[in-house]
Amino acid sequence: LEAFKHLHQSKAGAIEKRVATFLGGLAKLEEAARTVDELNDDAGRQRIELQKKQQVADQSMEEITEALQLASKTRKETETLSEELKEAEQETLARKSKIESELSEIQPVLESAKEAVGKIKSDNLNELRSLKMPPDPVADVLSAVLMLLGIKDTSWMSMKRFLGNRGVKEDILNYDTHRLTPEIRAQVMKLLKSKGSSFEKATIQRVSVAAAPFAAWVKANIRYSLVLDKIQPLEAELDEATRALEAAQGRMEECEEELKEIDERVKSLQDNFKKTTKEAAELNIRLQDTEATLEKAEKLLGELSGEQERWGSQAEELRRIMGSLPMRILLSAAFVTYLGKTPEDVRESELRVWARDFCNLGRAGEAEGKDAGEAKSGDPSGAGEGVDVKRIMSSESEMLVWKSQEGLPGDDLSMENAIIILNSPENRCPFVIDPANAASRWIKAHLERDESTPFELVAQQDSRFVNQVELAVRFGKMLVVTEVDGVEPMLYPLIRQDLKRQGPRWVVQIGDKLIDYNEKFRLLLVTRNPEPNLPPDAASLVNEVNFTVTRSGLESQFLGVTVQHEQPELEQQKSEVLKQEEDFKVQLSGLERELLDTLAASEGNLLENQALLDTLTKTKEKSAEVSASLEQSAKVSAKLDSERDQYRALARAGSQLYFAIMGLVKVNHMYQFSLGSFTQLFRSTLEQNASSGAIEVRMEKLISSLEKRVLYFCGRALFKADRLMFAMHLVHQVRPHLFQEGEWEFLVGHGIAVAVGGKGSACDGDEAKGSGRGAALLPSWAAPDRAAVMEAFQEAF
């Protein structure tokens, strides 16, 4: 009840104040919103009209700009094409001149030969055809003619058929030398070389007047073909240049036509632009006058539009919390009073049960004062929801200080325990169970930072213990007693607050003395014994707070130790990022409070208070900057967590090994190992030189080394008879997958009857010995009386 009273007084007033601030700020924003609505109704039609005309003016200006840009582009293209045409014409003429120069010598010869062929008389051809066998020169010449014309048969019969054709002269006159292939030319040239005399003018003229022009035509075509081969690249270039020139001339004509159309369009657009510009200027003046009226209101609502909705939801949330605050604080007080000595899972389970029971009680109480319909509507207080005692009794900034600046472990158990210690009622002295000394270090650091609370730290076995107690009681100090094994009898009056009145002052009996009692005196007991033996009368007076580590908590601690050793800058960076995040959150909360306080305290019309508007604007801008920084910080924090998780395998292995050796106390009460010694063993493992380029490889080596160190370290402390058992227990804890199904149960004595039951004689040592079967299966290191069990094990697995 004392805890409930203290918590309710401190939390209820703060929440009520926040609700009042939210409502005041929202009222001012709603007032400004109504003013804006009135102004918008008056200027709505005018704004729409102005926007439409402004759009028309802008569109006209864009069309003019586009047209001018297109005209400029077309002119540049026309100028470029003109220059290209001049260059192309010059190149074309040069190529054409070169080709004509190459053909100038052979062209007349070919034309002369064609002319001679054209003058051949039909009688002369008939005369040749009438010959039974032509002379050799005639046969050679006609063979060359047939080859050039593509006739492969060069017999005299083929020659006679050729000469008998009506269009024989036309075929020769219309022959295109470009058709002459290199193969045919090579055959004809071979004939000319071997039968050169047959193609001489004097020789062929003497043999046949009609064949002489054919000989001249053959030689002229061969020469012409050779020249064509020589000028073929030039002709190809000439054709390409001619086509490019024609295309450029066509595009030049198109550009000139487009330019003419664009010029006409630009002139029309310019005329419209003058008119549109004049209208736009008039509209702009009117628009500025209209916007000046609404500027102040729009600026205010624009800056705070997002906050208004958020503040409304937060005010509603605070109202809901206020309805359930007594139950939430009652749950928190019960948590502080009764759950300090329980592990995490029990705390969570009990809180869930309590919340459900309180929710039912709340509905039952409401049903008595309301009708049945209202009673069925549910619990409006929300007491049945999950209760986060850390959120109710502390803040994120405060817990961050505990962790980053005072050295408190960051796991939930340690945070909850710190809250219990700081919120314990005055009539319940905190009794801290701290096997790892983590709480002791934090308590000392926390009290050193709190200048308003003087404290003394003394061990119970200290010779000055009684004197320190008396001084702390007299001067109102916080007394932290360490290394306690229980509650000293002399401390009972202090814990029970057995005070006596002597005039205007209170006194308390300490031993055989009456000491003046200062109301500021506080007592805190700390023990490293994980299982202290507190008698019932002492347990009812103290508030036990158990800092015994859990698997997840110890894993987090070992992870911090590992990262601090392997990458100290990473752990430092993580702490800095966490602190930075919390600083940002605190700044954001402060800016929001400042914004709300300014709005709630303002008087008159907000739109006429320029100083207030400037303050709100600056505060909003700063808030946006802090929000952006907080978002970036969260991304960095996530990245750092990902990097730290690379070392989690070693931390998890350390946690598993510690809890494995903690189970040895069930075998023998002497087999107890402190977390401090195990932590030192863990740190010494990190110091070994097992460096590797890959973190995963190094972690595997360190895990293997840690397992060996734990085996040797703990094995030396065990009786020899228990060492094999310990080794098997350790393997089962860290490598459970190495055991077959039922194998571990067999080894620890469960299921032996099942394994051996199929052969009852296997359990009978004497029978096995007599049969010799057990002895055959028994290893040399096993005792003879284990033969039956060993045989059963081998048969089962």
Side-chain angles (χ1 to χ4, degrees):
L1 292 179
E2 287 292 332
F4 172 80
K5 179 181 177 181
H6 169 71
L7 291 173
H8 191 274
Q9 288 176 349
S10 62
K11 301 301 177 183
I15 295 179
E16 288 175 355
K17 183 178 179 181
R18 288 190 65 190
V19 171
T21 304
F22 275 125
L23 295 179
L26 289 172
K28 290 296 182 180
L29 290 180
E30 290 173 359
E31 179 184 346
R34 287 194 297 270
T35 304
V36 170
D37 291 339
E38 293 174 0
L39 293 175
N40 280 329
D41 291 340
D42 294 338
R45 297 188 188 90
Q46 183 181 7
R47 185 182 294 109
I48 293 174
E49 182 181 356
L50 292 176
Q51 289 177 350
K52 289 182 179 179
K53 292 186 177 181
Q54 186 66 46
Q55 289 175 357
V56 173
D58 293 341
Q59 185 176 359
S60 299
M61 188 177 298
E62 290 176 0
E63 290 179 356
I64 293 172
T65 303
E66 291 176 358
L68 292 175
Q69 290 176 349
L70 183 59
S72 176
K73 181 180 179 181
T74 306
R75 285 193 179 89
K76 289 181 180 179
E77 186 178 358
T78 303
E79 293 173 358
T80 303
L81 287 174
S82 179
E83 295 176 359
E84 291 177 353
L85 281 175
K86 290 179 182 179
E87 295 177 358
E89 287 177 352
Q90 292 176 359
E91 293 177 359
T92 303
L93 291 176
R95 290 189 179 93
K96 189 174 181 181
S97 175
K98 190 172 182 180
I99 292 172
E100 290 176 352
S101 175
E102 293 288 342
L103 296 176
S104 60
E105 297 180 0
I106 188 61
Q107 189 71 34
V109 176
L110 181 60
E111 294 298 329
S112 175
K114 287 183 178 181
E115 184 179 357
V117 171
K119 292 180 180 181
I120 297 175
K121 296 180 179 179
S122 300
D123 294 340
N124 295 333
L125 293 176
N126 292 332
E127 180 182 349
L128 284 175
R129 201 161 47 113
S130 62
L131 295 175
K132 291 183 178 181
M133 285 297 295
D136 290 340
V138 173
D140 294 338
V141 169
L142 290 178
S143 294
V145 170
L146 292 179
M147 290 179 185
L148 288 177
L149 293 177
I151 300 173
K152 296 181 180 180
D153 186 3
T154 57
S155 64
W156 173 239
M157 292 300 295
S158 177
M159 295 177 187
K160 290 175 68 175
R161 284 196 300 273
F162 169 71
L163 293 174
N165 293 336
R166 287 180 174 275
V168 60
K169 291 192 294 182
E170 286 74 10
D171 292 342
I172 293 175
L173 293 175
N174 296 329
Y175 180 74
D176 185 4
T177 312
H178 291 85
R179 290 165 38 194
L180 183 59
T181 63
E183 293 78 10
I184 296 176
R185 184 178 62 202
Q187 293 177 2
V188 175
M189 289 180 67
K190 182 179 180 181
L191 182 62
L192 287 173
K193 185 176 181 182
S194 60
K195 303 289 185 175
S197 60
S198 299
F199 291 88
E200 292 179 1
K201 183 176 180 181
T203 303
I204 194 64
Q205 185 75 28
R206 185 172 56 251
V207 176
S208 173
V209 177
F214 288 138
W217 178 79
V218 168
K219 291 191 293 184
N221 272 286
I222 293 299
R223 289 179 58 193
Y224 193 76
S225 175
L226 293 173
V227 173
L228 287 179
D229 277 357
K230 182 179 180 181
I231 66 173
Q232 184 177 7
L234 295 176
E235 287 183 332
E237 292 177 359
L238 178 61
D239 292 340
E240 182 65 26
T242 303
R243 286 193 296 271
L245 181 61
E246 292 175 353
Q249 289 174 344
R251 179 56 187 160
M252 182 74 174
E253 294 175 357
E254 292 177 1
C255 288
E256 290 175 350
E257 190 67 27
E258 290 177 2
L259 189 59
K260 182 178 179 181
E261 294 177 359
I262 291 173
D263 289 339
E264 294 177 355
R265 183 184 174 195
V266 167
K267 186 177 181 304
S268 175
L269 289 174
Q270 286 176 342
D271 294 339
N272 293 332
F273 176 72
K274 293 178 181 179
K275 179 180 178 182
T276 305
T277 303
K278 182 179 179 180
E279 294 178 355
E282 296 174 354
L283 292 173
N284 190 37
I285 294 173
R286 294 170 59 190
L287 182 60
Q288 290 178 354
D289 294 339
T290 303
E291 290 180 346
T293 307
L294 297 173
E295 182 177 2
K296 295 180 181 180
E298 290 179 347
K299 185 176 182 181
L300 176 64
L301 295 182
E303 295 289 342
L304 301 178
S305 58
E307 277 74 3
Q308 184 174 7
E309 182 179 352
R310 184 162 54 87
W311 291 344
S313 62
Q314 287 182 354
E316 184 63 29
E317 175 69 13
L318 288 175
R319 286 197 194 98
R320 189 183 64 80
I321 290 177
M322 283 297 297
S324 65
L325 187 61
M327 290 187 178
R328 292 173 182 268
I329 294 181
L330 185 59
L331 288 176
S332 301
F335 177 84
V336 169
T337 306
Y338 299 112
L339 298 183
K341 60 183 177 181
T342 59
E344 286 177 296
D345 54 343
V346 176
R347 295 180 182 185
E348 182 180 356
S349 174
E350 291 296 329
L351 272 178
R352 189 183 302 112
V353 172
W354 291 349
R356 183 189 64 224
D357 292 344
F358 288 147
C359 180
N360 293 335
L361 290 173
R363 279 196 290 267
E366 289 178 0
E368 295 176 1
K370 299 182 181 181
D371 60 1
E374 292 175 334
K376 292 180 181 179
S377 62
D379 181 14
S381 68
E385 298 177 358
V387 178
D388 187 354
V389 295
K390 292 186 295 184
R391 181 181 176 187
I392 294 175
M393 294 186 289
S394 183
S395 65
E396 291 184 3
S397 58
E398 187 178 24
M399 288 187 286
L400 180 64
V401 170
W402 296 346
K403 176 186 176 184
S404 60
Q405 300 182 21
E406 299 175 2
L408 181 70
D411 57 286
D412 289 342
L413 180 69
S414 299
M415 290 295 176
E416 292 174 355
N417 287 342
I419 291 173
I420 293 174
I421 293 173
L422 298 179
N423 290 276
S424 291
E426 296 180 4
N427 60 348
R428 296 288 297 276
C429 168
F431 188 91
V432 181
I433 302 172
D434 183 27
N437 277 337
S440 300
R441 290 192 295 268
W442 169 74
I443 290 171
K444 181 179 179 181
H446 179 77
L447 293 175
E448 287 176 348
R449 287 176 54 84
D450 188 2
E451 298 180 356
S452 63
T453 306
F455 77 99
E456 292 290 341
L457 190 68
V458 61
Q460 182 172 299
Q461 296 79 14
D462 197 322
S463 59
R464 300 178 298 113
F465 173 67
V466 176
N467 187 43
Q468 292 288 350
V469 173
E470 294 175 357
L471 292 176
V473 172
R474 187 185 303 274
F475 294 104
K477 297 181 179 181
M478 166 71 80
L479 181 63
V480 181
V481 183
T482 61
E483 305 296 340
V484 301
D485 294 325
V487 179
E488 281 289 314
M490 64 171 292
L491 297 178
Y492 274 77
L494 290 175
I495 297 175
R496 289 196 302 258
Q497 293 187 345
D498 293 340
L499 306 180
K500 299 177 182 179
R501 191 80 173 182
Q502 283 190 353
R505 56 195 178 91
W506 293 97
V507 295
V508 63
Q509 185 79 30
I510 300 180
D512 55 355
K513 296 181 182 179
L514 284 176
I515 306 298
D516 290 342
Y517 183 82
N518 192 312
E519 294 182 354
K520 294 183 179 179
F521 169 75
R522 295 292 182 270
L523 180 63
L524 197 152
L525 306 178
V526 181
T527 180
R528 288 192 298 170
N529 185 358
E531 297 181 359
N533 185 18
L534 289 178
D537 59 336
S540 63
L541 297 176
V542 299
N543 189 13
E544 295 184 50
V545 184
N546 195 345
F547 272 86
T548 302
V549 293
T550 61
R551 288 182 182 269
S552 59
L554 186 59
E555 180 180 329
S556 300
Q557 292 183 35
F558 284 158
L559 178 61
V561 171
T562 304
V563 176
Q564 183 66 34
H565 180 273
E566 297 293 313
Q567 292 192 28
E569 69 284 354
L570 180 62
E571 188 68 10
Q572 181 181 0
Q573 189 177 7
K574 175 64 176 178
S575 299
E576 291 174 354
V577 168
L578 288 175
K579 185 178 184 303
Q580 188 180 41
E581 282 186 6
E582 193 57 35
D583 290 342
F584 285 147
K585 292 177 182 177
V586 172
Q587 289 182 34
L588 196 60
S589 178
L591 290 171
E592 182 181 271
R593 285 196 301 270
E594 180 182 350
L595 201 59
L596 279 169
D597 292 341
T598 304
L599 280 173
S602 64
E603 298 179 357
N605 191 347
L606 289 179
L607 304 182
E608 298 176 359
N609 191 340
Q610 186 61 42
L612 175 61
L613 294 177
D614 293 340
T615 301
L616 293 175
T617 300
K618 291 179 181 179
T619 304
K620 175 60 180 176
E621 291 175 353
K622 181 64 176 177
S623 176
E625 293 177 4
V626 172
S627 298
S629 300
L630 184 60
E631 183 178 352
Q632 182 64 28
S633 179
K635 294 179 180 179
V636 174
S637 179
K639 182 180 178 182
L640 292 177
D641 287 338
S642 177
E643 294 181 12
R644 293 175 82 248
D645 282 343
Q646 298 179 86
Y647 302 95
R648 188 171 295 278
L650 178 59
R652 185 181 298 111
S655 177
Q656 291 176 346
L657 288 170
Y658 175 74
F659 281 95
I661 64 176
M662 287 294 290
L664 291 176
V665 71
K666 299 177 181 178
V667 178
N668 191 313
H669 186 69
M670 293 189 300
Y671 296 164
Q672 298 188 37
F673 301 88
S674 69
L675 179 58
S677 62
F678 187 87
T679 303
Q680 185 60 37
L681 187 66
F682 187 86
R683 292 180 184 274
S684 64
T685 303
L686 293 174
E687 296 294 337
Q688 73 174 30
N689 185 16
S691 60
S692 176
I695 296 177
E696 294 80 2
V697 176
R698 173 163 170 77
M699 291 301 101
E700 291 177 0
K701 292 181 178 180
L702 289 177
I703 290 173
S704 177
S705 176
L706 178 62
E707 291 172 350
K708 292 179 181 178
R709 286 171 178 260
V710 170
L711 177 64
Y712 295 151
F713 177 79
C714 297
R716 288 193 296 267
L718 305 181
F719 289 119
K720 191 173 183 180
D722 294 331
R723 291 177 181 175
L724 180 59
M725 172 276 299
F726 168 64
M728 293 295 293
H729 170 67
L730 198 63
V731 172
H732 180 256
Q733 290 295 316
V734 299
R735 299 285 193 277
H737 60 279
L738 298 179
F739 290 82
Q740 301 181 36
E741 183 178 358
E743 185 176 359
W744 176 252
E745 289 75 9
F746 187 98
L747 294 173
V748 297
H750 299 299
I752 292 182
V754 175
V756 188
K759 299 183 179 181
S761 60
C763 295
D764 190 345
D766 295 336
E767 184 177 349
K769 185 175 180 180
S771 64
R773 180 177 52 191
L777 298 174
L778 185 66
S780 59
W781 47 264
D785 61 347
R786 307 303 296 169
V789 178
M790 182 60 68
E791 180 183 0
F793 179 79
Q794 293 183 10
E795 290 180 356
F797 300 100

